[in-house]
Amino acid sequence: TSAVLWKMNLDTQNAAAVLARYLGVPVRAVTFAGSKDKRAVTVQEIRIKKVTARRLAQLNNGLRDNVRLGKFVENLSDPLRLGDLKGNRFGMVLRDLEENLSEGDIEAAVNSLKTMGFINYFGMQRFGTGGYSTHTIGLKVLKRDFEEANRMIITPAPLVQGLREPDEQRVRAREALFKFNDGSMDAATAINYLLPSMGIERTMLQTYAKQEKATDHDGAFHSLPRTVRLLYVHAVQSFLFNQMASLRMKDESTRLFAIRGDLVVQEDDIKKYSQVHLVTAEEEEKKTYSIHHVVLPILGSASVLPENETRKVIDDFRSGVDDAVWDNPGVYRKLMAQPLDVDWKVLRYSDATADLMENGFNQVTETSEGQSRALRISFSLGSSEYATMLIRELTKTDSTIDSQINMQNKAADEIAEQAAAETAELAGGVDDAIVDDDVAAASLTPEKTEKEVFESIEH
């Protein structure tokens, strides 16, 4: 059965794990064509084997508010696979625009983005938010060190200064995972402390719990759905691509046209890239190919490599990993990405918690008044092209977690200040001594605060 999955503040793998647990089916029975971000409201098709549309519809009565299912179609036997996705449509709101930024400035920046595009980096979310980056885990998988890979997967992410403290249930879950890793708690016991969202950790611990001494690390890793296992290897390929892209675009004088030793293609469809061409010195001199023709390899066993400085990234990597570990021939990815169907509008708002973009379950009221401005922008990108990288180029801002936390804290402060002002206004003749920031901040619901903060910094 096919269904449309709507989710908020939950990644696709954990959403699939939640659905599988409610349905009593293996996680691998829930298939999808691509993984959607956690910090977003996302909509995507999923398919689940041997489950009726009626049963899926009934899940909406028991699921949390951040997961919904709809548009059911039965008798679709083929599962979805990573790579089936053609592209994504994005919509996001960038709040608190600087006052000296005119609409003309915004239009020029958007037009430049439509014309030149942006470096087609894999986004930071490709490398996970766990205790270890996914490409670091992927390197262990490629070396078949499953014991260390599993330890890294199960290790909780470190607490980041500036984010709210975890609740008691999450603290207990984190402690259980750490104790399992250091051998002071067995898998069967640790499972009892896990949160519903910890689907990957649960699957692995369930496999370990069936073992007398929890030593079948290969089996525990391969108990994960194939789509999840591939994410770790794909993260290594993505990391190498990003390194090559940075090296290739380091020299500003070579950013418009292909240079000698670059790989180029003529086709528009990435899936048709059956042959690549090495740019010659003569073609560089004549500026035969633009930068938009340049591709870089997603490394595989049969990849053709660039014949210039960019190749050094792969040569250095191959010195530590045997090519035999790759189970695919490799593909190619454009160095530059260009958005399509770009639509944008500058909005005015006063309420820092007001919804400025529809998400399927809310109402948006636009106004021409308000002391703050926001940019609402929508666009389409090809498969595996990242909106976070587009916004990074559009705003010229850092996309690292530290930068995002700073923006999140700034937005939270603004919300609290606004709430304090509203509370003071409502208090009217009440003694000012009883109206303080702590009372105002307490009037905000954590769920709405978090939702609006995320909308202000990410799609």
Side-chain angles (χ1 to χ4, degrees):
T1 300
S2 169
V4 171
L5 167 67
W6 180 99
K7 63 179 183 63
M8 179 172 65
N9 200 26
L10 189 69
D11 64 40
T12 302
Q13 283 77 22
N14 281 321
V18 169
L19 294 176
R21 187 162 52 84
Y22 271 89
L23 293 167
V25 300
V27 178
R28 63 176 62 90
V30 183
T31 62
F32 44 88
S35 181
K36 308 302 179 194
D37 291 345
K38 175 181 178 180
R39 293 185 174 181
V41 175
T42 71
V43 179
Q44 68 185 114
E45 182 187 2
I46 61 171
R47 293 185 186 177
I48 307 177
K49 292 181 179 179
K50 299 179 181 180
V51 177
T52 65
R54 181 178 180 181
R55 190 177 177 197
L56 288 178
Q58 290 173 339
L59 284 186
N60 286 326
N61 297 324
L63 291 171
R64 295 183 178 183
D65 290 342
N66 65 337
V67 180
R68 285 290 179 267
L69 296 171
K71 294 187 178 180
F72 308 105
V73 179
E74 293 187 325
N75 301 319
L76 291 176
S77 58
D78 293 335
L80 295 173
R81 299 185 184 278
L82 292 178
D84 290 345
L85 193 68
K86 192 172 184 178
N88 293 289
R89 182 71 180 170
F90 294 90
M92 61 187 69
V93 175
L94 304 178
R95 298 175 184 254
D96 197 23
L97 299 181
E98 296 179 0
E99 287 302 320
N100 61 356
L101 188 66
S102 69
E103 288 202 27
D105 295 331
I106 297 172
E107 183 175 14
V110 172
N111 288 339
S112 174
L113 194 63
K114 290 195 288 186
T115 302
M116 278 302 300
F118 57 97
I119 301 176
N120 198 15
Y121 288 122
F122 287 95
M124 299 302 294
Q125 59 268 47
R126 182 78 166 193
F127 306 104
T129 56
Y132 291 86
S133 61
T134 50
H135 78 277
T136 303
I137 298 170
L139 285 171
K140 297 298 181 182
V141 173
L142 291 175
K143 295 178 180 180
R144 303 193 65 79
D145 184 356
F146 295 115
E147 180 177 3
E148 184 64 9
N150 293 356
R151 185 190 68 80
M152 290 178 171
I153 293 171
I154 292 172
T155 300
L159 297 178
V160 181
Q161 186 176 5
L163 291 180
R164 65 179 184 179
E165 291 297 316
D167 57 34
E168 185 178 349
Q169 188 177 10
R170 184 169 294 277
V171 169
R172 290 199 301 267
R174 288 172 55 83
E175 289 177 351
L177 292 174
F178 281 123
K179 287 181 178 180
F180 172 78
N181 267 346
D182 67 22
S184 60
M185 181 180 288
D186 62 53
T189 303
I191 289 171
N192 296 324
Y193 294 96
L194 298 187
L195 300 176
S197 60
M198 295 177 171
I200 291 175
E201 296 89 340
R202 184 180 301 276
T203 298
M204 297 185 75
L205 290 184
Q206 285 173 340
T207 303
Y208 277 127
K210 298 174 183 177
Q211 306 169 20
E212 185 174 346
K213 293 185 178 180
T215 55
D216 182 9
H217 307 296
D218 188 327
F221 178 78
H222 284 91
S223 69
L224 297 174
R226 181 175 181 272
T227 51
V228 175
R229 300 197 310 267
L230 285 177
L231 285 176
Y232 298 112
V233 177
H234 290 168
V236 176
Q237 296 171 308
S238 303
F239 177 77
L240 294 173
F241 178 93
N242 282 3
Q243 295 293 303
M244 286 187 287
S246 292
L247 190 57
R248 172 60 184 83
M249 298 298 283
K250 181 177 66 173
D251 186 350
E252 293 186 14
S253 66
T254 64
R255 292 180 181 175
L256 296 180
F257 296 93
I259 61 173
R260 180 181 180 179
D262 276 344
L263 301 175
V264 296
V265 293
Q266 295 285 3
E267 298 92 340
D268 290 329
D269 188 344
I270 190 75
K271 293 182 179 179
K272 295 178 182 177
Y273 293 176
S274 57
Q275 292 184 339
V276 291
H277 169 70
L278 277 169
V279 176
T280 65
E282 182 180 2
E283 288 169 334
E284 176 184 358
E285 185 178 355
K286 291 181 177 180
K287 299 181 178 179
T288 305
Y289 300 101
S290 80
I291 197 69
H292 294 105
H293 288 105
V294 177
V295 296
L296 293 172
I298 304 295
L299 187 62
S301 57
S303 295
V304 176
L305 301 181
E307 293 295 341
N308 51 33
E309 186 184 12
T310 310
R311 180 190 176 111
K312 185 178 184 299
V313 172
I314 302 300
D315 289 338
D316 290 345
F317 168 76
R318 278 181 164 171
S319 64
V321 176
D322 188 340
D323 279 355
V325 301
W326 300 105
D327 63 354
N328 62 76
V331 295
Y332 300 91
R333 175 183 174 89
K334 284 190 174 182
L335 173 61
M336 302 294 292
Q338 286 182 285
L340 301 175
D341 304 321
V342 180
D343 181 39
W344 62 278
K345 184 177 182 179
V346 175
L347 305 173
R348 285 274 177 185
Y349 67 96
S350 295
D351 184 355
T353 66
D355 286 346
L356 299 180
M357 175 167 284
E358 294 181 359
N359 66 23
F361 289 91
N362 66 346
Q363 290 185 342
V364 175
T365 302
E366 294 187 12
T367 177
S368 58
E369 299 178 353
Q371 71 269 26
S372 300
R373 294 185 305 156
L375 172 64
R376 184 172 66 199
I377 185 168
S378 302
F379 50 88
S380 298
L381 294 176
S383 174
S384 197
E385 294 178 354
Y386 285 77
T388 46
M389 296 298 101
L390 179 148
I391 295 302
R392 178 177 181 266
E393 176 64 25
L394 179 65
T395 61
K396 308 298 184 185
T397 56
D398 190 355
S399 60
T400 62
I401 188 169
D402 288 339
S403 175
Q404 298 300 307
I405 289 171
N406 288 336
M407 285 191 285
Q408 176 176 325
N409 289 339
K410 180 181 178 183
D413 289 343
E414 290 175 354
I415 292 171
E417 289 173 4
Q418 178 178 321
E422 291 175 353
T423 303
E425 182 178 349
L426 289 173
V430 178
D431 188 343
D432 288 345
I434 68 171
V435 181
D436 58 31
D437 289 344
D438 292 335
V439 174
S443 68
L444 293 171
T445 62
E447 292 81 4
K448 189 163 188 180
T449 301
E450 182 179 69
K451 172 180 178 294
E452 293 300 328
V453 167
F454 285 157
E455 185 182 61
S456 73
I457 64 172
E458 288 282 355
H459 55 290

